[in-house]
């Protein structure tokens, strides 16, 4: 089979390797689509891999080609998405079915080979069945969508509807920020939704609505003016950019008793000034961090995310910049890396590796 294999830092090579064998509790998945995540940039080009060679890719969906003899609940040909985290099932979080906070986990695409290949052997426990009428491009992005839904639950608003007196701010319109903004706009009746990015092309992808305000803030001067006008303004503030300065800014924007969600993967070390910490205390702010999603527990983010897709509240594939071949992974991830480090800027939201015709 064909796979994009990370051979060493910065070097992804297309190789032919044997189709993986499966264990009794595994299924062989024929990968249809696999998203390229920003974490793949640093894993591939910033010495972030745990080992080499590695097949990256943790956002994927496909169809079952073969089943282990102890697998139940699935059939040949079933369409499935993959929850990429492999829990240990032994630690305290796992005993409470809080698998996202497992202390000894593995992970498809980082600690195990992932979806930048034609086939992957996957534990049946990690499979999420997809209806035949759901696009596998959307299904492949259930993982990042579930991270967004988990964040909304963390901040306590996912299942609430009465927000007509509330003001919210989203900082950053990358893929996760765009999906979060879409859910907020389509599902809630906020008095005000203010969405910030430094690029107009991202802001232009956001649905227009009377309650929605888009702000392009691409300089320190613009940010300083904005902070003066909106300090202590928002009930809910979402930091989705990962830009270190924006974590401090999110604290400034929150009103007393406000709630802040930090979801962006921070780009570098952050210094929080004494006066900012004091404002957290004095305003009695509620700051939540989030990293992954709940799967197979009483508060299953994957089921809720899938429901959003089924109800047409969100279609993640609308934010895909381009579907690429597996042969293009090296070129695309390198371009993403150069953009991330400021070497060469260009416009993109999300790349999807399409293996459906390989």
């Amino acid at each position: 089979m064909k796979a994009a294999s990370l051979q060493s830092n910065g070097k992804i090579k297309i190789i032919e390797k044997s189709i993986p064998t499966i264990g009794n509790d595994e299924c062989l998945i024929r990968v249809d689509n696999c998203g390229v995540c920003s974490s793949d940039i640093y894993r591939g080009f910033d010495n972030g891999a745990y080992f080499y060679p590695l097949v990256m890719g943790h956002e994927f969906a496909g169809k079952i080609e073969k089943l282990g003899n102890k697998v139940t609940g699935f059939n040949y040909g079933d369409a499935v998405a993959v929850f990429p985290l492999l829990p240990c099932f032994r630690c305290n979080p796992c005993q409470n079915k809080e698998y996202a906070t497992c202390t000894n986990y593995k992970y498809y695409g980082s600690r195990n080979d992932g979806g930048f290949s034609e086939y992957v052997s996957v534990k049946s426990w990690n499979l999420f069945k997809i209806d035949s009428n759901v696009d596998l491009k959307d299904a492949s992005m259930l993982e990042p969508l579930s991270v967004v839904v988990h964040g909304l639950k963390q901040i306590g608003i996912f299942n609430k509807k009465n927000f007509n007196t509330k003001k919210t701010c989203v900082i950053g319109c990358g893929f996760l920020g765009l999906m979060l903004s879409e859910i907020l706009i389509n599902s809630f009746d906020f008095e005000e939704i203010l969405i910030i990015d430094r690029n107009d092309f991202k802001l232009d992808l956001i649905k227009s609505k009377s309650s929605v305000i888009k702000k392009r803030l691409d300089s320190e001067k613009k940010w300083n003016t904005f902070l003066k006008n909106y300090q202590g303004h928002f009930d809910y503030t979402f930091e989705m950019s990962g830009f270190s300065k924006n974590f401090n800014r999110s604290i400034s924007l929150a009103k007393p008793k406000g709630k802040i969600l930090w979801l962006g993967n921070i780009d570098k070390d952050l210094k929080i000034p004494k006066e900012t910490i004091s404002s957290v205390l004095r305003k009695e702010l509620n700051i939540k961090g989030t990293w992954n999603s709940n799967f197979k527990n009483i508060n299953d983010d994957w089921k809720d995310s899938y429901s959003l897709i089924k109800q047409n509240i969100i279609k993640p594939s609308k934010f895909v910049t381009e579907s690429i071949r597996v042969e293009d992974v090296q070129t695309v991830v390198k371009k993403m890396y150069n953009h991330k480090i400021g070497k060469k800027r260009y416009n993109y939201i999300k790349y999807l590796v399409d293996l459906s015709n390989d």
Side-chain angles (χ1 to χ4, degrees):
M1 71 172 185
K2 190 187 302 181
S5 175
L6 180 65
Q7 301 287 297
S8 59
N9 188 61
K11 184 180 179 182
I12 301 172
K13 182 180 178 182
I14 302 303
I15 63 169
E16 287 289 335
K17 58 187 300 188
S18 299
I19 294 174
T21 57
I22 59 171
N24 291 334
D25 60 345
E26 292 182 318
C27 292
L28 182 67
I29 306 303
R30 176 70 163 87
V31 179
D32 188 272
N33 279 274
C34 183
V36 183
C37 177
S38 60
S39 65
D40 294 320
I41 301 172
Y42 296 111
R43 186 166 296 117
F45 282 78
D46 199 24
N47 295 296
Y50 292 100
F51 60 87
Y52 302 101
L54 168 70
V55 178
M56 299 189 295
H58 62 270
E59 305 171 356
F60 62 102
K63 293 186 177 180
I64 295 176
E65 288 277 322
K66 190 182 294 185
L67 298 91
N69 57 25
K70 291 187 178 179
V71 173
T72 59
F74 294 96
N75 295 295
Y76 170 81
D78 281 348
V80 291
V82 176
F83 177 66
L85 189 148
L86 287 149
C88 72
F89 297 109
R90 296 184 298 274
C91 66
N92 285 336
C94 282
Q95 292 299 306
N96 293 321
K97 297 187 177 181
E98 299 287 347
Y99 304 114
T101 52
C102 173
T103 59
N104 190 30
Y105 65 90
K106 294 182 179 180
Y107 215 87
Y108 293 112
S110 66
R111 300 169 193 243
N112 300 64
D113 282 347
F116 292 165
S117 61
E118 291 182 83
Y119 295 92
V120 186
S121 58
V122 177
K123 298 285 188 183
S124 62
W125 184 90
N126 292 77
L127 298 179
F128 186 94
K129 193 177 292 188
I130 303 297
D131 292 343
S132 59
N133 62 343
V134 173
D135 191 334
L136 281 177
K137 287 183 171 63
D138 292 313
S140 69
M141 287 173 280
L142 260 177
E143 192 276 335
L145 177 58
S146 297
V147 171
V148 170
V149 167
H150 185 67
L152 288 168
K153 291 178 182 179
Q154 286 277 78
I155 210 166
I157 68 172
F158 182 73
N159 291 317
K160 296 182 179 179
K161 299 297 180 184
N162 185 21
F163 285 103
N164 60 328
T165 61
K166 302 295 184 181
K167 297 178 173 67
T168 190
C169 178
V170 179
I171 305 171
C173 292
F175 183 57
L176 297 183
L178 285 169
M179 288 198 295
L180 181 128
S181 298
E182 184 102 337
I183 294 169
L184 293 177
I185 292 168
N186 290 340
S187 298
F188 303 106
D189 187 23
F190 285 99
E191 178 186 340
E192 178 181 299
I193 303 175
L194 196 149
I195 303 170
I196 299 168
D197 201 87
R198 63 185 179 184
N199 295 304
D200 279 334
F201 90 95
K202 292 181 180 178
L203 293 170
D204 289 342
L205 294 172
I206 294 167
K207 181 179 178 181
S208 294
K209 194 177 178 181
S210 59
S211 60
V212 176
I213 303 168
K214 306 176 190 179
K215 288 278 186 182
R216 180 185 177 187
L217 301 179
D218 57 358
S219 69
E220 198 75 18
K221 183 179 178 180
K222 288 181 181 178
W223 260 109
N224 289 337
T225 300
F226 177 78
L227 289 170
K228 286 179 183 177
N229 293 330
Y230 284 90
Q231 186 171 357
H233 183 78
F234 297 103
D235 300 278
Y236 299 94
T237 307
F238 298 89
E239 200 310 294
M240 310 291 289
S241 72
F243 184 48
S244 57
K245 287 186 177 181
N246 289 341
F247 288 81
N248 278 318
R249 289 164 175 165
S250 69
I251 294 170
S252 177
L253 293 170
K255 65 169 52 174
K257 300 284 187 179
K259 295 184 178 182
I260 299 171
L261 181 73
W262 286 349
L263 196 148
N265 282 321
I266 194 164
D267 62 344
K268 58 186 177 183
D269 288 344
L270 168 67
K271 180 179 180 180
I272 304 179
K274 177 183 176 182
E275 59 269 24
T276 303
I277 295 294
S278 293
S279 74
V280 172
L281 305 179
R282 291 171 183 171
K283 291 197 285 186
E284 296 188 357
L285 298 180
N286 186 334
I287 301 176
K288 286 281 190 177
T290 193
W291 170 69
N292 210 289
S293 58
N294 285 332
F295 183 72
K296 289 195 173 176
N297 72 9
I298 196 169
N299 194 19
D300 195 316
D301 300 319
W302 281 62
K303 288 182 179 178
D304 289 329
S305 297
Y306 188 57
S307 179
L308 292 178
I309 293 174
K310 294 275 285 182
Q311 295 174 58
N312 293 316
I313 291 172
I314 186 165
K315 186 173 178 62
S317 61
K318 71 177 284 187
F319 298 121
V320 171
T321 304
E322 185 182 354
S323 287
I324 63 171
R325 303 173 307 153
V326 70
E327 290 88 350
D328 301 323
V329 170
Q330 163 77 22
T331 301
V332 165
V333 178
K334 186 174 182 179
K335 285 172 65 176
M336 292 168 69
Y337 176 69
N338 287 335
H339 173 82
K340 210 74 170 175
I341 63 175
K343 185 175 180 179
K344 187 175 181 180
R345 300 285 186 186
Y346 74 107
N347 294 339
Y348 77 95
I349 302 296
K350 186 74 173 179
Y351 287 99
L352 202 60
V353 181
D354 186 348
L355 293 121
S356 60
N357 295 315
D358 287 338

